[in-house]
């Protein structure tokens, strides 16, 4: 049973505020272990990687090479059922098309006094993509990370994936092939992150590392940040559903459970103005849990972090939604479109009764890597921008320097930066 | 004397690679102290802030209020010399105009099968701006951080600045007024960062914190990251000058010293194809150091981290510049424009002999908060994008769900996510 909050209760604000700050993750402190692993890889390169793979993945690089060969990738692609390949290709095409619209445009111009200014966007030279092993190895995540990188124009996209006894989920390899990943290595954990950041004999270093991973991978990404860029560190997933009374409770229950099945720390929240719907959804959740493969996970998530919030009218849901700042926000109301402009904080918004969040996980087009744990208040989902950087450009001639120089000198002198002032003044008075 | 590297030397690659990874900062480990301060502020709010201000700044909030009043800001503005106000206003206007061009555009569209898709940009609700006290308290940095926030549309911009005995540099207050900062508090250090992140009785929490600070501030920003967003943690500044033999050595020496005077860890690099110019610049640096207010800092920086790299021709400078990925790159050559498209990694590019980097520090228009320590390989200067976030939008009707749903089900099932599949299937077969 999820918790219930009622807007009309006297202690609602207190309970809602407490609910907002509920911790859904225990963060293991693996920093010391990770630091040692990174040092080891920096010092011993491939040798260190080989030792870790033997130890953690029962994988001997003398037998199975660290780099996945082209034939193996082709074989995985050929062995993947046709309907799955078609689904991956549909997803990749839609992701590519949507992300291409997010490509920033260079802007080089001259202002009214003839100063040349510019913003020039370039792709990052080389990016590493971490893909988890085992059950968390999602082909859809490969597409969501790799396709935007390729749309951005990243010339070298390197994937790492841990491989127990050398085996990699063939669908992951098929997805990597479809997305255009350039190199794939059978390594994982903090050691893979270290290899991407610092390079080894076999692996050239990259400039940025993206993709999800366990506590060791997350800690390693934090530690190598600065040497390379990293993406956000994602927490457990969450969905907020705003629903009027006219919904099919079974549809909403399925959506809440789709989030809950991800992780025991996932969170599913329903806000509705209908007490009847609230009860019906709660009952539908209980019913659907019985026939769910991942019922244990989903049940724990719904029990520990699920919530149903009753509001007197759906307008009241808007400020609550903006405070929750959910990763995924479903609006299942008759006038769903009219809610959208009022939403300030949400990773992704799913509009109307026929847009289950799961469509966005796979084939919608927008990215499914989204800000969790209320970070939609200050950050955005993954996009081409995460694989690019901008250089600003400034160009003055003698006339422009005469026009702007004196103000720069005034400010530099006020800040006590004499060499700054001189570097301008010396060009204004070449004789001085 | 800076180090000299010659491209034609046999060991150039080895020496250049070592030069690239020179550490220019000793990072103090202040994490434990900072953790305790943050806990204290979370628990004791204003009381904790008052105690720290008394201890570190000899400032008693019972006498001088924590919040800077409107009259004090007006007085600071009025007391600032007119030429300085004019310079600040010129700078603010140019920063505003340039940054407005970087505002991202919403993009809401329907694809060929009728799926509604969108990217909607919104400003962050509340942002905190850290401004250092003492000599590092730069009015220009207030403008560079605050103006883009206001251009982005941030409704609430809160500034914190440590104030020894209550005093704040009046030019900093004048800059804050010009930039439109909404609230100013006389607090600094890790405690100010904690107050911005978690709020106190007096200060409402913000969603993101930007601005430079000392080791304590940097550590505090790292620790509150997740609860709020943060900007990059800037390292010591650097400039790379690519110059042909036709330059006035005094101009280039002034530019190199303008960087070096910032910090003993700053770095100034000259790449040239002219040994004569190299010698002349070296001599000019020595000469100019004698009459520089901050000569001790500049001399140490030039001695410890400065470099002159001789190349056989300037084409060879391009790949070196891309590996250095300098925060500031000056191109002082006859055909400066032609170099720009070849530069992939640089925070800001200054084109031609009449564009000293100091213009960009103050009145150019582009931001002076730029990626340091080679992070221009994967990140960009501060801009309006740092004060905004994007929600993606997806809208399907029954027809679109029929079109895309089966592929989503196929992928969900392949990933073992039964509730994901069900949330789509249940809408396709309402009877099932």
């Amino acid at each position: 049973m999820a918790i219930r909050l009622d807007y009309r209760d006297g202690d609602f604000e207190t309970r809602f505020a407490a609910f907002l700050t509920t911790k859904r993750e225990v963060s293991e402190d693996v920093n010391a272990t990770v630091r040692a692993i990174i040092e080891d890889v920096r010092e011993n390169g491939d040798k260190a990687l080989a030792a870790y793979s033997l130890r953690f993945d029962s994988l001997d690089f003398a037998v199975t090479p660290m780099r996945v060969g082209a034939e193996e990738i082709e074989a995985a692609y050929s062995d993947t059922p046709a309907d799955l390949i078609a689904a991956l290709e549909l997803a990749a095409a839609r992701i590519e098309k949507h992300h291409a619209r997010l490509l920033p445009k260079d802007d080089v111009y001259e202002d009214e006094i003839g100063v040349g200014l510019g913003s020039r966007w370039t792709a990052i030279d080389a990016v590493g993509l971490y893909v988890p092993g085992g059950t968390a190895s999602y082909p859809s995540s490969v597409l969501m990370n790799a396709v935007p990188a390729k749309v951005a124009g990243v010339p070298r996209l390197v994937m790492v994936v841990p491989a127990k006894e050398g085996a990699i989920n063939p669908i992951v390899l098929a997805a990597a092939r479809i997305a255009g990943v350039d190199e794939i290595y059978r390594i994982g954990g903090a050691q893979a992150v270290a290899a991407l950041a610092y390079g080894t004999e076999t692996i050239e270093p990259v400039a940025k590392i993206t993709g999800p991973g366990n506590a060791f991978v997350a800690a390693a990404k934090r530690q190598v940040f600065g040497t390379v860029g990293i993406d956000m560190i994602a927490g457990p997933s969450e969905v907020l559903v705003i629903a009027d009374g006219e919904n099919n409770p079974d549809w909403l229950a399925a959506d809440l459970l789709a989030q809950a099945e991800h992780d025991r720390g996932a969170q599913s929240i329903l806000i509705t103005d209908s007490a009847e719907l609230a009860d019906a959804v709660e009952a539908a959740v209980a019913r659907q849990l019985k026939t769910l493969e991942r019922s244990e996970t989903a049940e724990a998530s719904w029990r520990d972090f699920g919530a149903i919030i009753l509001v007197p009218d759906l307008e009241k849901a808007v400020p609550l939604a903006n405070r929750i700042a959910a990763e995924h926000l479903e609006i299942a109301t008759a006038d769903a479109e009219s809610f959208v402009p009022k939403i300030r904080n949400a990773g992704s918004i799913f509009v109307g009764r026929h847009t289950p969040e799961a469509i966005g996980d796979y084939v919608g087009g927008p990215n499914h890597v989204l800000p969790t744990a209320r970070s939609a208040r200050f950050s955005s989902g993954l996009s081409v921008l995460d694989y690019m950087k901008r250089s600003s450009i400034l160009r003055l001639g003698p006339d422009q320097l005469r026009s702007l120089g004196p103000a720069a000198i005034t400010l530099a002198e006020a800040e006590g930066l004499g060499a700054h002032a001189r570097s301008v003044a010396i060009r204004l008075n070449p004789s001085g």
Side-chain angles (χ1 to χ4, degrees), chain A:
Chain A
M1 280 276 283
I3 68 157
R4 287 266 192 139
L5 300 176
D6 191 322
Y7 196 90
R8 278 157 295 206
D9 286 349
D11 62 350
F12 175 77
E13 175 54 34
T14 314
R15 291 186 67 201
F16 182 72
F19 172 72
L20 273 188
T21 54
T22 310
K23 227 174 132 70
R24 294 186 280 132
E25 265 188 307
V26 190
S27 35
E28 261 179 284
D29 186 0
V30 296
N31 276 318
T33 312
V34 165
R35 192 163 296 119
I37 293 172
I38 292 174
E39 275 316 304
D40 188 14
V41 173
R42 286 187 72 172
E43 253 172 64
N44 302 306
D46 283 349
K47 232 182 83 188
L49 294 179
Y52 289 116
S53 290
L54 205 54
R55 171 139 60 112
F56 296 129
D57 292 330
S58 313
L59 166 58
D60 183 353
F61 288 149
V63 179
T64 310
M66 180 168 23
R67 180 158 180 183
V68 179
E71 326 72 52
E72 187 175 346
I73 299 166
E74 287 308 312
Y77 182 84
S78 307
D79 291 351
T80 302
D83 65 329
L84 205 44
I85 291 289
L88 288 170
E89 282 176 345
L90 173 69
R94 291 191 59 88
I95 296 165
E96 183 178 342
K97 209 160 178 182
H98 180 72
H99 283 73
R101 296 180 72 114
L102 286 160
L103 277 171
K105 285 188 185 52
D106 287 355
D107 179 32
V108 182
Y109 63 100
E110 234 178 57
D111 72 9
E112 63 288 350
I113 62 168
V115 174
L117 292 123
S119 297
R120 232 177 108 252
W121 292 88
T122 44
I124 296 175
D125 286 337
V127 169
L129 165 54
Y130 192 92
V131 176
T135 53
S137 185
Y138 295 136
S140 60
S141 291
V142 173
L143 297 183
M144 291 290 178
N145 278 277
V147 172
K150 281 298 169 183
V151 171
V154 171
R156 180 171 164 254
L157 182 57
V158 183
M159 183 172 125
V160 294
V161 51
K164 275 265 175 279
E165 296 176 358
I168 300 173
N169 177 353
I171 314 173
V172 161
L173 292 182
R177 180 189 183 277
I178 289 168
V181 170
D182 299 290
E183 301 166 23
I184 305 176
Y185 298 95
R186 252 179 276 269
I187 52 173
Q191 58 276 20
V193 173
L196 289 170
Y198 295 103
T200 69
E201 298 88 332
T202 303
I203 304 174
E204 285 283 309
V206 301
K208 183 163 184 172
I209 302 174
T210 72
N214 63 16
F216 290 87
V217 172
K221 280 168 69 180
R222 279 187 207 274
Q223 288 186 24
V224 300
F225 175 57
T227 299
V228 295
I230 61 169
D231 60 350
M232 55 190 148
I233 309 270
S237 202
E238 72 240 356
V239 70
L240 166 61
V241 181
I242 299 178
D244 61 23
E246 305 307 304
N247 281 281
N248 182 330
D250 272 315
W251 293 14
L252 302 187
D255 295 354
L256 296 169
L257 287 173
Q259 216 47 230
E261 76 175 338
H262 267 299
D263 189 295
R264 298 174 74 99
Q267 182 165 57
S268 305
I269 308 171
L270 171 68
I271 303 187
T272 181
D273 58 352
S274 161
E276 293 69 37
L277 182 86
D279 291 340
V281 169
E282 181 101 53
V285 165
R287 213 161 45 235
Q288 290 186 23
L289 269 172
K290 288 182 193 140
T291 58
L292 202 61
E293 207 180 324
R294 297 168 67 98
S295 64
E296 209 184 320
T297 302
E299 188 165 15
S301 156
W302 179 244
R303 179 191 64 224
D304 296 340
F305 303 115
I308 296 181
I309 302 176
L310 208 61
V311 288
D313 59 85
L314 287 176
E315 270 308 306
K316 300 281 191 299
V318 171
L320 301 182
N322 281 329
R323 286 170 71 189
I324 291 170
E327 183 190 11
H328 307 105
L329 171 62
E330 284 188 15
I331 308 177
T333 65
D335 55 345
E337 282 286 358
S338 75
F339 273 82
V340 176
K342 302 174 199 161
I343 298 301
R344 291 183 61 81
N345 301 327
S348 199
I349 307 175
F350 301 86
V351 185
R353 309 190 202 284
H354 289 85
T355 318
E357 186 273 325
I359 291 292
D361 283 339
Y362 296 112
V363 291
N367 214 286
H368 81 193
V369 180
L370 295 164
T372 58
R374 306 186 64 220
S375 62
R377 291 173 300 129
F378 55 79
S379 61
S380 313
L382 192 72
S383 87
V384 289
L385 293 175
D386 296 290
Y387 296 105
M388 305 183 80
K389 63 266 178 335
R390 180 177 38 80
S391 297
S392 58
I393 300 169
L394 191 65
R395 189 202 66 230
L396 277 67
D399 290 349
Q400 292 76 38
L401 192 66
R402 262 192 299 279
S403 166
L404 297 180
I409 293 171
T410 301
L411 290 165
E413 284 173 349
E415 293 186 351
L417 295 174
H420 282 64
R422 181 187 282 162
S423 72
V424 177
I426 203 170
R427 286 168 163 94
L428 292 177
N429 310 297
S431 59

